[in-house]
């Protein structure tokens, strides 16, 4: 600080009154490795606003088992009549969990609902398999049933009516929101599967004019749907956002990637998914009209490579699957937003001395993830003193020249 002339009296530093959170982007994330069930891999597929995470993970035997993770502990969900293999696909706000489990030696699946105890969801038609993909707090379960030829048909289930076909046409039901709107896909007259939502069980084709396949994979409580659709150019497909008011929005890809998929959207409109080139796949978050590589939001020294983000809750927490440096096995991750700005510590013993042409002091900034040094400037610190003295400091230099 350089005063115009020496001023007698006591000075004090007013620190950081104008300091904004100086992060490299709007949000950084702290990453948590959710571990396994004794095996070597795991993947997180869903979470609710209480931070309960579900997915599947390897047992010591190597079989994949549905799990629920809470506050640092991963617990295997029970299975029913046959085998150890299962997977959990969705969890409601109140903690209802749905998924699929082994049913017979031939590889047949049964959907399940877990709500303190395990309940099998039988297929609509005898001899078919079933898979439960979505659930809401009303207990409405959606999924699909598959015949011996591999053809799938969307169904709904509740405790009162049991399993009912949603459509006689081929398709899948993949997600459901709290007002009962369902997202999935349905075969169009062209033979392509188009992303579809059902409101009051009435289907809407989200890409009626496009030639090519697509799916709606998620829908929030405002009936905003996300998924992927074929662009009509070679094998390229891209993530989309759809609403009744705004129609279809192509979200594009990260950089020059050739395809992307949006898996989920929260009630704040934040979207998560994956973007892929010919050589790698990266998890993304899409917010306020821009797609961000989540790997760039972990800080410069993170050992993680986040491959796909499958769900995001209304707290902004994200789950998915990725790899830790040195490991070839996928692990489930939980990302928690770091909204807190950096802290700062002053070293300024001589500033209270009256007189002199200048006073020099240092400030040490620290953050759990990173600080963007390019945002440091003259207005971060002010010095006040007698007679209404109030002056901004002059930034002389930065010792560390990178984030």
């Amino acid at each position: 600080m350089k005063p115009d002339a020496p001023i007698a009296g006591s000075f004090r530093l007013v620190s950081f009154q104008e300091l904004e959170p100086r992060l490299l982007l709007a949000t950084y994330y702290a990453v948590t490795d959710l571990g396994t069930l004794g095996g070597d891999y795991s993947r997180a597929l869903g979470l609710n606003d209480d931070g309960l995470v579900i997915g599947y993970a390897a047992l010591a035997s190597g079989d994949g088992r549905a799990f629920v993770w809470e506050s640092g502990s991963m617990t295997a969900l029970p299975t029913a009549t046959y085998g150890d293999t299962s997977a959990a696909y969705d969890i409601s706000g109140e903690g209802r969990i749905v998924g699929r489990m082994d049913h017979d030696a031939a590889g047949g699946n049964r959907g399940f609902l877990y709500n303190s105890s395990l309940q099998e969801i039988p297929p609509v038609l005898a001899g078919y398999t079933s898979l439960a993909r979505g659930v809401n707090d009303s207990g409405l379960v959606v999924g699909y049933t598959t015949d011996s030829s591999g053809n799938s048909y969307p169904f709904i289930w509740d405790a009162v009516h049991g399993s009912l076909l949603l459509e006689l046409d081929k398709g899948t039901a993949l997600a459901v929101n709290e007002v009962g709107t369902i997202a999935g896909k349905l075969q169009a007259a062209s033979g392509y599967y188009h992303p579809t939502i059902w409101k009051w069980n009435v289907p809407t084709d989200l890409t009626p004019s496009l030639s090519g396949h697509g799916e709606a994979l998620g829908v929030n409580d405002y009936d905003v749907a996300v998924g992927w659709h074929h662009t009509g150019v070679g094998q390229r497909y891209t993530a989309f956002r759809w609403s009744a008011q705004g129609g279809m929005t192509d979200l594009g890809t990260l950089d020059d990637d050739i395809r992307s998929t949006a898996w989920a959207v929260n009630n704040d409109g934040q979207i998560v998914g994956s973007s892929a080139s010919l050589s790698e796949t990266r998890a993304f978050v899409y917010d306020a009209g821009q797609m961000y590589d989540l790997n760039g939001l972990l800080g410069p020294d993170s050992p993680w490579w986040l491959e796909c983000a499958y769900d995001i809750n209304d707290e902004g927490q994200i789950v998915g699957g990725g790899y830790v440096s040195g490991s070839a096995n996928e692990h489930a991750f939980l990302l928690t937003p770091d909204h807190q700005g950096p802290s700062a510590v002053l070293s300024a013993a001589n500033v209270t001395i009256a007189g002199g042409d200048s006073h020099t002091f240092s400030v040490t900034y620290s953050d759990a993830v990173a600080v963007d040094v390019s945002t440091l400037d003259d207005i971060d610190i002010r010095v006040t003193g007698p007679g209404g003295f109030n002056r901004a400091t002059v930034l002389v230099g930065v010792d560390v020249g990178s984030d």
Side-chain angles (χ1 to χ4, degrees):
M1 174 65 209
K2 298 180 179 180
D4 293 333
I7 301 177
S10 176
F11 288 79
R12 67 186 182 90
L13 290 173
V14 179
S15 57
F16 322 119
Q17 62 183 23
E18 299 183 34
L19 179 64
E20 298 293 331
R22 296 181 178 277
L23 299 177
L24 199 58
L25 285 173
T27 301
Y28 269 101
Y29 294 90
V31 58
T32 301
D33 187 338
L34 303 189
T36 72
L37 293 170
D40 56 10
Y41 67 86
S42 59
R43 177 179 290 181
L45 298 176
L47 81 166
N48 64 14
D49 288 345
D50 291 330
L52 275 67
V53 182
I54 54 89
Y56 60 89
L59 300 165
S61 65
D63 292 322
R65 174 70 70 85
F67 73 78
V68 59
W69 181 95
E70 181 180 9
S71 301
S73 178
M74 180 181 287
T75 303
L77 296 181
T79 58
T81 56
Y82 181 87
D84 286 328
T85 303
S86 60
Y89 294 116
D90 194 22
I91 181 170
S92 74
E94 295 182 353
R96 293 179 172 89
I97 300 170
V98 294
R100 60 106 183 138
M101 58 188 176
D102 282 348
H103 179 68
D104 55 49
N109 292 317
R110 285 289 186 273
F112 72 79
L113 169 67
Y114 182 82
N115 187 21
S116 299
S117 62
L118 188 72
Q119 182 169 359
E120 182 177 308
I121 298 178
V124 180
L125 302 174
Y128 284 41
T129 64
S130 64
L131 192 150
R133 283 292 300 264
V135 61
N136 65 16
D137 281 335
S138 299
L140 178 64
V141 176
V142 302
Y144 54 91
T145 186
T146 306
D147 64 21
S148 58
S149 299
N151 299 310
S152 296
Y153 301 87
F155 75 81
I156 57 176
W157 178 95
D158 65 29
V160 175
H161 303 96
S163 298
L164 300 170
L165 281 178
L166 188 59
E167 294 286 345
L168 296 178
D169 293 322
K170 299 172 187 176
T172 57
L174 302 174
V176 60
N177 67 16
E178 288 305 317
V179 296
T181 301
I182 299 167
K185 67 180 181 183
L186 195 61
Q187 189 174 41
S190 63
Y192 291 111
Y193 287 93
H194 283 186
T196 301
I197 64 165
W198 288 263
K199 191 171 181 63
W200 313 121
N201 296 341
V202 176
T204 298
D205 185 340
L206 306 187
T207 57
S209 61
L210 292 182
S211 296
H213 295 297
E215 290 180 300
L217 297 170
V219 58
N220 70 14
D221 293 337
Y222 300 104
D223 290 348
V224 175
V226 297
W228 65 272
H229 66 92
H230 189 259
T231 63
V233 180
Q235 297 300 311
R236 181 180 173 86
Y237 59 86
T238 56
F240 71 78
R241 175 193 185 276
W242 180 93
S243 69
Q245 298 77 23
M248 177 68 69
T249 300
D250 190 316
L251 304 186
T253 65
L254 291 171
D255 304 321
D256 296 322
D257 287 352
I258 61 173
R259 56 184 178 269
S260 62
T261 301
W263 280 93
V265 56
N266 67 13
N267 287 328
D268 291 323
Q270 296 172 305
I271 300 167
V272 295
S274 63
S275 180
S277 66
L278 293 175
S279 59
E280 64 183 15
T281 302
R282 297 174 285 172
F284 74 75
V285 59
Y286 184 94
D287 190 16
Q290 186 168 347
M291 183 181 289
Y292 298 97
D293 182 351
L294 280 169
N295 293 284
L297 301 180
L298 300 183
D301 299 320
S302 174
W304 277 86
W305 181 263
L306 308 182
E307 190 167 75
C308 188
Y310 290 104
D311 202 8
I312 181 169
N313 65 16
D314 288 345
E315 304 300 319
Q317 294 177 299
I318 299 169
V319 295
Y323 297 85
V324 179
S325 179
S327 174
N329 298 308
E330 181 179 8
H331 269 214
F333 66 76
L334 167 67
L335 301 182
T336 301
D338 174 16
H339 295 307
Q340 184 175 355
S343 62
V345 177
L346 289 168
S347 177
N350 68 336
V351 178
T352 57
I353 301 173
D357 293 330
S358 66
H359 297 288
T360 302
F361 51 88
S362 63
V363 181
T364 301
Y365 294 88
S366 61
D367 187 74
V369 181
V371 176
D372 184 355
V373 298
S374 69
T375 64
L376 302 178
D377 52 37
D378 293 342
I379 68 170
D380 292 337
I381 310 294
R382 300 193 71 84
V383 178
T384 62
F389 184 87
N390 188 321
R391 197 73 64 81
T393 60
V394 175
L395 178 66
V396 177
V398 178
D399 290 338
V400 179
S402 61
D403 298 318

